[in-house]
PDB file of all heavy atoms in Angstrom:
ATOM      1  N   TYR A 236      -6.638   7.753  20.097  1.00 90.00           N
ATOM      2  CA  TYR A 236      -5.962   6.583  19.780  1.00 90.00           C
ATOM      3  C   TYR A 236      -6.483   5.331  20.476  1.00 90.00           C
ATOM      4  O   TYR A 236      -5.957   4.319  20.283  1.00 90.00           O
ATOM      5  CB  TYR A 236      -4.531   6.651  20.195  1.00 90.00           C
ATOM      6  CG  TYR A 236      -3.589   7.539  19.258  1.00 90.00           C
ATOM      7  CD1 TYR A 236      -4.236   8.236  18.181  1.00 90.00           C
ATOM      8  CD2 TYR A 236      -2.190   7.546  19.333  1.00 90.00           C
ATOM      9  CE1 TYR A 236      -3.348   8.985  17.321  1.00 90.00           C
ATOM     10  CE2 TYR A 236      -1.376   8.253  18.462  1.00 90.00           C
ATOM     11  CZ  TYR A 236      -2.012   8.917  17.410  1.00 90.00           C
ATOM     12  OH  TYR A 236      -1.214   9.620  16.589  1.00 90.00           O
ATOM     13  N   TRP A 237      -7.588   5.558  21.320  1.00 90.00           N
ATOM     14  CA  TRP A 237      -8.099   4.455  22.009  1.00 90.00           C
ATOM     15  C   TRP A 237      -9.015   3.657  21.252  1.00 90.00           C
ATOM     16  O   TRP A 237      -9.981   4.189  20.610  1.00 90.00           O
ATOM     17  CB  TRP A 237      -8.812   4.976  23.285  1.00 90.00           C
ATOM     18  CG  TRP A 237      -9.385   3.928  24.112  1.00 90.00           C
ATOM     19  CD1 TRP A 237     -10.690   3.615  24.216  1.00 90.00           C
ATOM     20  CD2 TRP A 237      -8.728   3.135  25.154  1.00 90.00           C
ATOM     21  NE1 TRP A 237     -10.906   2.586  25.272  1.00 90.00           N
ATOM     22  CE2 TRP A 237      -9.674   2.263  25.708  1.00 90.00           C
ATOM     23  CE3 TRP A 237      -7.352   2.923  25.402  1.00 90.00           C
ATOM     24  CZ2 TRP A 237      -9.479   1.356  26.658  1.00 90.00           C
ATOM     25  CZ3 TRP A 237      -7.078   1.947  26.341  1.00 90.00           C
ATOM     26  CH2 TRP A 237      -8.021   1.208  26.980  1.00 90.00           C
ATOM     27  N   ILE A 238      -8.895   2.266  21.186  1.00 91.00           N
ATOM     28  CA  ILE A 238      -9.780   1.395  20.511  1.00 91.00           C
ATOM     29  C   ILE A 238     -10.519   0.626  21.582  1.00 91.00           C
ATOM     30  O   ILE A 238      -9.948  -0.286  22.324  1.00 91.00           O
ATOM     31  CB  ILE A 238      -8.885   0.427  19.643  1.00 91.00           C
ATOM     32  CG1 ILE A 238      -8.072   1.223  18.539  1.00 91.00           C
ATOM     33  CG2 ILE A 238      -9.760  -0.540  18.958  1.00 91.00           C
ATOM     34  CD1 ILE A 238      -8.930   2.024  17.687  1.00 91.00           C
ATOM     35  N   GLU A 239     -11.807   0.835  21.570  1.00 88.00           N
ATOM     36  CA  GLU A 239     -12.646   0.239  22.753  1.00 88.00           C
ATOM     37  C   GLU A 239     -12.628  -1.269  22.576  1.00 88.00           C
ATOM     38  O   GLU A 239     -12.545  -1.935  23.615  1.00 88.00           O
ATOM     39  CB  GLU A 239     -14.064   0.753  22.488  1.00 88.00           C
ATOM     40  CG  GLU A 239     -15.018   0.389  23.733  1.00 88.00           C
ATOM     41  CD  GLU A 239     -14.509   1.079  24.961  1.00 88.00           C
ATOM     42  OE1 GLU A 239     -14.031   2.203  24.947  1.00 88.00           O
ATOM     43  OE2 GLU A 239     -14.730   0.370  26.133  1.00 88.00           O
ATOM     44  N   ALA A 240     -12.647  -1.835  21.348  1.00 85.00           N
ATOM     45  CA  ALA A 240     -12.831  -3.256  21.288  1.00 85.00           C
ATOM     46  C   ALA A 240     -11.534  -3.918  21.689  1.00 85.00           C
ATOM     47  O   ALA A 240     -11.553  -5.107  22.210  1.00 85.00           O
ATOM     48  CB  ALA A 240     -13.077  -3.697  19.739  1.00 85.00           C
ATOM     49  N   ASP A 241     -10.249  -3.224  21.607  1.00 87.00           N
ATOM     50  CA  ASP A 241      -9.055  -3.800  22.009  1.00 87.00           C
ATOM     51  C   ASP A 241      -8.649  -3.374  23.359  1.00 87.00           C
ATOM     52  O   ASP A 241      -7.720  -4.026  23.880  1.00 87.00           O
ATOM     53  CB  ASP A 241      -7.940  -3.433  20.860  1.00 87.00           C
ATOM     54  CG  ASP A 241      -6.688  -4.203  21.153  1.00 87.00           C
ATOM     55  OD1 ASP A 241      -6.636  -5.375  21.003  1.00 87.00           O
ATOM     56  OD2 ASP A 241      -5.658  -3.468  21.366  1.00 87.00           O
ATOM     57  N   GLN A 242      -9.153  -2.204  23.809  1.00 89.00           N
ATOM     58  CA  GLN A 242      -8.731  -1.789  25.117  1.00 89.00           C
ATOM     59  C   GLN A 242      -7.433  -1.304  25.215  1.00 89.00           C
ATOM     60  O   GLN A 242      -6.721  -1.379  26.308  1.00 89.00           O
ATOM     61  CB  GLN A 242      -9.223  -2.800  26.261  1.00 89.00           C
ATOM     62  CG  GLN A 242     -10.657  -2.989  26.470  1.00 89.00           C
ATOM     63  CD  GLN A 242     -11.371  -1.816  26.988  1.00 89.00           C
ATOM     64  OE1 GLN A 242     -11.186  -1.320  28.048  1.00 89.00           O
ATOM     65  NE2 GLN A 242     -12.387  -1.327  26.222  1.00 89.00           N
ATOM     66  N   ARG A 243      -6.839  -0.802  24.113  1.00 91.00           N
ATOM     67  CA  ARG A 243      -5.527  -0.273  24.035  1.00 91.00           C
ATOM     68  C   ARG A 243      -5.445   0.783  23.064  1.00 91.00           C
ATOM     69  O   ARG A 243      -6.338   1.086  22.326  1.00 91.00           O
ATOM     70  CB  ARG A 243      -4.492  -1.421  23.623  1.00 91.00           C
ATOM     71  CG  ARG A 243      -4.308  -2.540  24.715  1.00 91.00           C
ATOM     72  CD  ARG A 243      -3.251  -3.429  24.276  1.00 91.00           C
ATOM     73  NE  ARG A 243      -3.824  -4.392  23.306  1.00 91.00           N
ATOM     74  CZ  ARG A 243      -3.242  -5.553  23.006  1.00 91.00           C
ATOM     75  NH1 ARG A 243      -2.053  -5.879  23.403  1.00 91.00           N
ATOM     76  NH2 ARG A 243      -3.723  -6.357  22.108  1.00 91.00           N
ATOM     77  N   HIS A 244      -4.300   1.511  23.014  1.00 92.00           N
ATOM     78  CA  HIS A 244      -4.133   2.628  22.135  1.00 92.00           C
ATOM     79  C   HIS A 244      -3.371   2.227  20.916  1.00 92.00           C
ATOM     80  O   HIS A 244      -2.431   1.440  20.933  1.00 92.00           O
ATOM     81  CB  HIS A 244      -3.306   3.777  22.835  1.00 92.00           C
ATOM     82  CG  HIS A 244      -3.940   4.406  23.963  1.00 92.00           C
ATOM     83  ND1 HIS A 244      -3.932   3.926  25.329  1.00 92.00           N
ATOM     84  CD2 HIS A 244      -4.711   5.503  24.090  1.00 92.00           C
ATOM     85  CE1 HIS A 244      -4.572   4.680  26.126  1.00 92.00           C
ATOM     86  NE2 HIS A 244      -5.109   5.775  25.342  1.00 92.00           N
ATOM     87  N   HIS A 245      -3.837   2.868  19.749  1.00 93.00           N
ATOM     88  CA  HIS A 245      -3.239   2.485  18.573  1.00 93.00           C
ATOM     89  C   HIS A 245      -3.273   3.843  17.710  1.00 93.00           C
ATOM     90  O   HIS A 245      -4.280   4.527  17.636  1.00 93.00           O
ATOM     91  CB  HIS A 245      -4.122   1.436  17.628  1.00 93.00           C
ATOM     92  CG  HIS A 245      -4.118   0.072  18.333  1.00 93.00           C
ATOM     93  ND1 HIS A 245      -3.213  -0.961  18.132  1.00 93.00           N
ATOM     94  CD2 HIS A 245      -4.988  -0.366  19.244  1.00 93.00           C
ATOM     95  CE1 HIS A 245      -3.490  -1.890  18.898  1.00 93.00           C
ATOM     96  NE2 HIS A 245      -4.582  -1.730  19.648  1.00 93.00           N
ATOM     97  N   CYS A 246      -2.089   4.096  16.994  1.00 93.00           N
ATOM     98  CA  CYS A 246      -2.057   5.282  16.338  1.00 93.00           C
ATOM     99  C   CYS A 246      -2.979   5.240  15.046  1.00 93.00           C
ATOM    100  O   CYS A 246      -3.540   4.307  14.618  1.00 93.00           O
ATOM    101  CB  CYS A 246      -0.532   5.540  15.864  1.00 93.00           C
ATOM    102  SG  CYS A 246      -0.017   4.392  14.510  1.00 93.00           S
ATOM    103  N   LEU A 247      -3.079   6.500  14.357  1.00 92.00           N
ATOM    104  CA  LEU A 247      -4.035   6.698  13.246  1.00 92.00           C
ATOM    105  C   LEU A 247      -3.778   5.631  12.171  1.00 92.00           C
ATOM    106  O   LEU A 247      -4.663   5.083  11.543  1.00 92.00           O
ATOM    107  CB  LEU A 247      -3.882   8.065  12.719  1.00 92.00           C
ATOM    108  CG  LEU A 247      -4.888   9.030  13.120  1.00 92.00           C
ATOM    109  CD1 LEU A 247      -4.804   9.287  14.589  1.00 92.00           C
ATOM    110  CD2 LEU A 247      -4.782  10.335  12.346  1.00 92.00           C
ATOM    111  N   ILE A 248      -2.421   5.391  11.876  1.00 95.00           N
ATOM    112  CA  ILE A 248      -2.164   4.457  10.768  1.00 95.00           C
ATOM    113  C   ILE A 248      -2.473   3.005  11.105  1.00 95.00           C
ATOM    114  O   ILE A 248      -2.968   2.381  10.232  1.00 95.00           O
ATOM    115  CB  ILE A 248      -0.738   4.598  10.498  1.00 95.00           C
ATOM    116  CG1 ILE A 248      -0.289   6.029  10.022  1.00 95.00           C
ATOM    117  CG2 ILE A 248      -0.292   3.651   9.269  1.00 95.00           C
ATOM    118  CD1 ILE A 248      -1.102   6.584   8.863  1.00 95.00           C
ATOM    119  N   CYS A 249      -2.241   2.627  12.378  1.00 95.00           N
ATOM    120  CA  CYS A 249      -2.515   1.322  12.795  1.00 95.00           C
ATOM    121  C   CYS A 249      -4.128   1.024  12.813  1.00 95.00           C
ATOM    122  O   CYS A 249      -4.512  -0.030  12.621  1.00 95.00           O
ATOM    123  CB  CYS A 249      -1.919   0.944  14.211  1.00 95.00           C
ATOM    124  SG  CYS A 249      -0.159   0.667  14.082  1.00 95.00           S
ATOM    125  N   GLN A 250      -4.770   2.093  13.091  1.00 94.00           N
ATOM    126  CA  GLN A 250      -6.228   2.071  13.041  1.00 94.00           C
ATOM    127  C   GLN A 250      -6.770   1.708  11.687  1.00 94.00           C
ATOM    128  O   GLN A 250      -7.871   1.174  11.552  1.00 94.00           O
ATOM    129  CB  GLN A 250      -6.830   3.320  13.661  1.00 94.00           C
ATOM    130  CG  GLN A 250      -6.623   3.553  15.148  1.00 94.00           C
ATOM    131  CD  GLN A 250      -7.396   4.713  15.632  1.00 94.00           C
ATOM    132  OE1 GLN A 250      -8.510   5.035  15.263  1.00 94.00           O
ATOM    133  NE2 GLN A 250      -6.749   5.453  16.543  1.00 94.00           N
ATOM    134  N   ILE A 251      -6.017   2.064  10.654  1.00 95.00           N
ATOM    135  CA  ILE A 251      -6.452   1.772   9.313  1.00 95.00           C
ATOM    136  C   ILE A 251      -5.847   0.502   8.818  1.00 95.00           C
ATOM    137  O   ILE A 251      -6.596  -0.410   8.357  1.00 95.00           O
ATOM    138  CB  ILE A 251      -5.965   2.959   8.317  1.00 95.00           C
ATOM    139  CG1 ILE A 251      -6.527   4.386   8.828  1.00 95.00           C
ATOM    140  CG2 ILE A 251      -6.417   2.706   6.947  1.00 95.00           C
ATOM    141  CD1 ILE A 251      -6.046   5.509   8.086  1.00 95.00           C
ATOM    142  N   PHE A 252      -4.503   0.446   8.799  1.00 96.00           N
ATOM    143  CA  PHE A 252      -3.814  -0.717   8.111  1.00 96.00           C
ATOM    144  C   PHE A 252      -3.582  -1.894   9.153  1.00 96.00           C
ATOM    145  O   PHE A 252      -3.093  -2.968   8.705  1.00 96.00           O
ATOM    146  CB  PHE A 252      -2.448  -0.225   7.567  1.00 96.00           C
ATOM    147  CG  PHE A 252      -2.765   0.728   6.514  1.00 96.00           C
ATOM    148  CD1 PHE A 252      -2.556   2.133   6.715  1.00 96.00           C
ATOM    149  CD2 PHE A 252      -2.988   0.292   5.212  1.00 96.00           C
ATOM    150  CE1 PHE A 252      -2.733   2.977   5.719  1.00 96.00           C
ATOM    151  CE2 PHE A 252      -3.135   1.270   4.206  1.00 96.00           C
ATOM    152  CZ  PHE A 252      -3.029   2.589   4.494  1.00 96.00           C
ATOM    153  N   GLY A 253      -3.832  -1.803  10.448  1.00 93.00           N
ATOM    154  CA  GLY A 253      -3.575  -2.846  11.405  1.00 93.00           C
ATOM    155  C   GLY A 253      -2.162  -2.979  11.890  1.00 93.00           C
ATOM    156  O   GLY A 253      -1.244  -2.229  11.381  1.00 93.00           O
TER     157      GLY A 253
END
Side-chain angles (χ1 to χ4, degrees):
Y236 278 14
W237 180 256
I238 301 297
E239 190 65 34
D241 187 63
Q242 292 293 299
R243 286 181 287 188
H244 293 86
H245 298 269
C246 70
L247 261 66
I248 302 302
C249 286
Q250 291 184 40
I251 300 173
F252 295 98

